[in-house]
């Protein structure tokens, strides 16, 4: 997971991402902390599903290698579960893509719902030379 998605906790114990903005994309774009939290949450969900898929694949392979009829029958359900998990990951990535696109559109338009600087003023997408 990218360093930009990791939050830190201040001395007061409050997550410092809330209400903060980050300029970590390299092009001057700022992203609201709440948006980053949403991305982080979705990436954690994706990673958890992928971890579960790894376990399912290992079990499917073991059952297949055993050639025991009951184990092979069990694989039918495991493969269905694996396919459903893959669909969930695709859906989560689609949601992330949509959210990211909307946040970048809002940022480039100076929309207050997308990316405000910590001083409350809208940020520009690029820094222009003087």
């Amino acid at each position: 997971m990218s360093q930009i998605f990791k939050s830190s906790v201040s001395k007061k114990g409050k997550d410092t991402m809330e209400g903060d903005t980050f300029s970590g994309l390299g092009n001057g774009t700022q992203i609201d902390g709440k948006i980053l939290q949403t991305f982080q949450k979705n990436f954690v969900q994706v990673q958890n599903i992928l971890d579960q898929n790894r376990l399912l694949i290992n079990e499917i392979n073991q059952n297949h290698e055993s050639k025991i009829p009951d184990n092979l029958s069990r694989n039918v359900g495991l493969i269905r579960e694996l396919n459903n998990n893959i669909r969930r990951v695709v859906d989560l990535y689609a949601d992330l893509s949509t959210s990211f696109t909307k946040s970048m559109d809002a940022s480039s338009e100076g929309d207050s719902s997308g990316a405000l600087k910590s001083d409350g003023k809208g940020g520009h997408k690029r820094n222009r030379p003087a």
Side-chain angles (χ1 to χ4, degrees):
M1 187 178 308
S2 173
Q3 186 64 25
I4 192 170
F5 293 113
K6 293 183 180 176
S7 65
S8 59
V9 177
S10 67
K11 291 180 183 176
K12 294 179 183 178
K14 183 178 179 188
D15 192 335
T16 58
M17 287 176 70
E18 187 177 324
D20 290 345
T21 58
F22 298 89
S23 302
L25 298 180
N27 63 358
T29 301
Q30 293 188 338
I31 300 175
D32 186 272
K34 289 181 181 183
I35 294 169
L36 284 177
Q37 287 176 332
T38 301
F39 289 151
Q40 182 179 24
K41 178 185 166 206
N42 284 344
F43 281 122
V44 167
Q45 285 180 308
V46 166
Q47 188 59 54
N48 289 338
I49 294 169
L50 294 176
D51 290 342
Q52 183 182 8
N53 285 357
R54 185 179 342 99
L55 297 174
L56 285 170
I57 291 167
N58 287 339
E59 186 175 348
I60 290 166
N61 286 335
Q62 289 172 357
N63 289 345
H64 181 74
E65 289 171 4
S66 76
K67 295 183 172 54
I68 297 170
D70 287 344
N71 289 351
L72 294 173
S73 294
R74 177 166 162 67
N75 273 359
V76 173
L78 295 175
I79 291 169
R80 283 191 183 121
E81 184 177 350
L82 182 64
N83 285 335
N84 288 332
N85 285 353
I86 291 168
R87 281 188 201 97
R88 287 173 50 206
V89 168
V90 168
D91 290 343
L92 284 167
Y93 276 127
D95 292 346
L96 279 167
S97 177
T98 301
S99 296
F100 186 76
T101 301
K102 286 180 181 178
S103 70
M104 291 298 101
D105 288 346
S107 173
S108 66
E109 295 169 3
D111 185 358
S112 64
S113 66
L116 287 181
K117 294 180 183 177
S118 57
D119 64 1
K121 297 178 182 174
H124 293 287
K125 189 169 184 178
R126 291 182 207 93
N127 293 330
R128 299 182 186 197

